[in-house]
Amino acid sequence: MTSAKYHLPAGTATGTDYAVDVTPARAGWRYSSLRTLTLPPGGSHTFPTGDSEWIVLPLSGGCTVATDSGETFELHGRDSVFTAVTDFAYLPRDARATVTSPAGGRFALTGARCERRLPARYGPASGVPVELRGTGNCSRQVNNFAAAGVFACDRLIAVEVLTPGGNWSSYPPHKHDEHRPGLESELEEIYYFEIAGDDTGLGYQRVSPSRERGTDVLAEVRSGDAVLIPDGWHGPSMAAPGHDMYYLNVMAGPGAEREWLICDHPDHAWIRGTWPEQPVDPRLPLYPAREEPARDERAREEPARHEPAQGEAR
């Protein structure tokens, strides 16, 4: 039961310069965007940010990000999403930026339509909270690089999730598709997947309807696939035994507050009560938080903004 409208296998959502190019118009919603960019050694790419804020996140390799206002950010990057936390660069709306990679690499551009124009900033890998969630075969690692309350954006929320082979994440299934003050946020979401190992690696993603004629997806996912979630109970995300799973979550919505508040599926919420009885999967963390050489602290200053406490289901 897979909806082609919401599951975008690798190679089916390309753009002129991008291996994945999900825009609000393409997704049929208002805010969230995702692009993946591949650059050869010495390659560069220039793009306007338009009406969206963006984060440049290395998937493999490093790069330099330069803005038309004169800011330059050197991103160390990483060998792959399965080897390290990475640094990143935040770009405001109404700007122009160039990404250059001396050694080549692959880069995610996570975006959200927004109103405020915040300053361009560097996000150090050492500032990314690495969190372990769940226990037993629900254990996973979350790299909260642009979670609400961690790194200031206007609307964009983005995190990375790593699930050891054989485990389930995004579990219990949860949703965030309606505005209920203090209980649930309305957020559009993109999942972008990479699977460790050879080309046989795969996983599965489930989205079940939370309303009449709502989103209904059961997808076999492989490296480079994306799944769009405008609404619905999403989860589990299942990693096949022997193949660790990575996914990048990109979220944004219309709420006045930038917050990630979720509602667990009532049929499955009980699973949380079993977690204290089990240990965290000993394979986690797949890699720890990364220390970096000290650099100018002004590069990581963030505008003051209240960020409420967030849920724990991702």
Side-chain angles (χ1 to χ4, degrees), residues 102-184:
R106 296 185 307 108
F107 309 94
L109 309 179
T110 67
R113 279 182 173 155
C114 64
E115 286 73 44
R116 294 195 303 158
R117 191 176 192 274
L118 304 184
R121 279 163 289 134
Y122 174 78
S126 59
V128 175
V130 173
E131 176 186 359
L132 302 186
R133 291 187 187 165
T135 61
N137 63 359
C138 290
S139 302
R140 61 272 202 183
Q141 174 176 337
V142 184
N143 299 337
N144 288 300
F145 71 96
V150 171
F151 187 86
C153 300
D154 187 35
R155 293 195 180 275
L156 177 64
I157 299 172
V159 302
E160 301 179 302
V161 181
L162 295 117
T163 307
N167 284 9
W168 287 21
S169 57
S170 282
Y171 198 75
H174 59 282
K175 74 180 184 78
H176 42 67
D177 58 14
E178 58 182 316
H179 176 61
R180 296 188 298 148
L183 297 174
E184 185 177 350

Side-chain angles (χ1 to χ4, degrees), residues 75-120:
L75 303 188
H76 179 273
R78 53 190 167 183
D79 291 337
S80 84
V81 296
F82 297 102
T83 60
V85 177
T86 185
D87 48 359
F88 58 93
Y90 173 89
L91 301 171
R93 59 168 292 162
D94 301 319
R96 193 170 181 85
T98 299
V99 181
T100 304
S101 181
R106 296 185 307 108
F107 309 94
L109 309 179
T110 67
R113 279 182 173 155
C114 64
E115 286 73 44
R116 294 195 303 158
R117 191 176 192 274
L118 304 184

